[in-house]
Amino acid sequence: MAARKTTSSKQFPAKAGAPEAEVDKRSPDGSDGMRHVKEFVVLASQWTGEEHQHEANKAGVANEAIQRGLHPRGEASFDGSEDHPDGVSLVLTYSVETVPASVDHHPEDTTTPRDVIEDAGGDTSSSKDD
């Protein structure tokens, strides 16, 4: 039984009292405490920074967090951009507060990609003025 607990605590550090370690383990682009970080690489020439572009990426952040065993809470934030080493792209960084699914006692509070899209008016593909 001790072996099972050790395996469980390695796979689910939050169950062993280390939720930040689990968020970090499940966030390949990094984490900041309980915030899951996601980076997107886009062509600089096609990036305008319009709200609909951010909303699509915010839905992507929520989707990735869920796929990685983290439950997003609230809206993802745009944390900034930097030039990509290729010289033609930008690296856009977003993050969202999360709870590891392994210890989430209120999964109904999870922010889903659908929630993000509905909050954006049901469409993240173009500006509202189109």
Side-chain angles (χ1 to χ4, degrees):
M1 189 131 188
R4 174 179 268 166
K5 184 172 184 163
T6 302
T7 301
S8 178
S9 65
K10 285 182 183 178
Q11 186 174 3
F12 303 109
K15 287 186 173 187
E20 289 181 1
E22 188 162 333
V23 171
D24 186 57
K25 178 180 174 181
R26 295 177 180 276
S27 301
D29 291 335
S31 67
D32 183 9
M34 297 294 288
R35 293 188 74 80
H36 168 73
V37 174
K38 172 70 178 155
E39 295 176 345
F40 294 88
V41 178
V42 299
L43 286 173
S45 63
Q46 294 182 355
W47 180 254
T48 62
E50 294 176 58
E51 191 60 32
H52 69 92
Q53 291 177 314
H54 286 295
E55 294 304 328
N57 290 343
K58 289 175 181 182
V61 172
N63 183 60
E64 179 176 276
I66 290 169
Q67 294 299 317
R68 295 187 171 279
L70 302 171
H71 288 174
R73 293 293 199 268
E75 183 176 346
S77 64
F78 173 60
D79 299 334
S81 66
E82 61 184 48
D83 292 333
H84 189 276
D86 70 7
V88 296
S89 302
L90 292 173
V91 178
L92 309 174
T93 304
Y94 295 80
S95 66
V96 66
E97 193 71 24
T98 62
V99 175
S102 63
V103 295
D104 190 354
H105 300 292
H106 300 284
E108 68 277 7
D109 293 339
T110 298
T111 302
T112 67
R114 177 180 295 266
D115 295 332
V116 176
I117 292 167
E118 287 176 355
D119 287 348
D123 185 2
T124 61
S125 64
S126 63
S127 70
K128 306 295 180 266
D129 297 331
D130 287 350

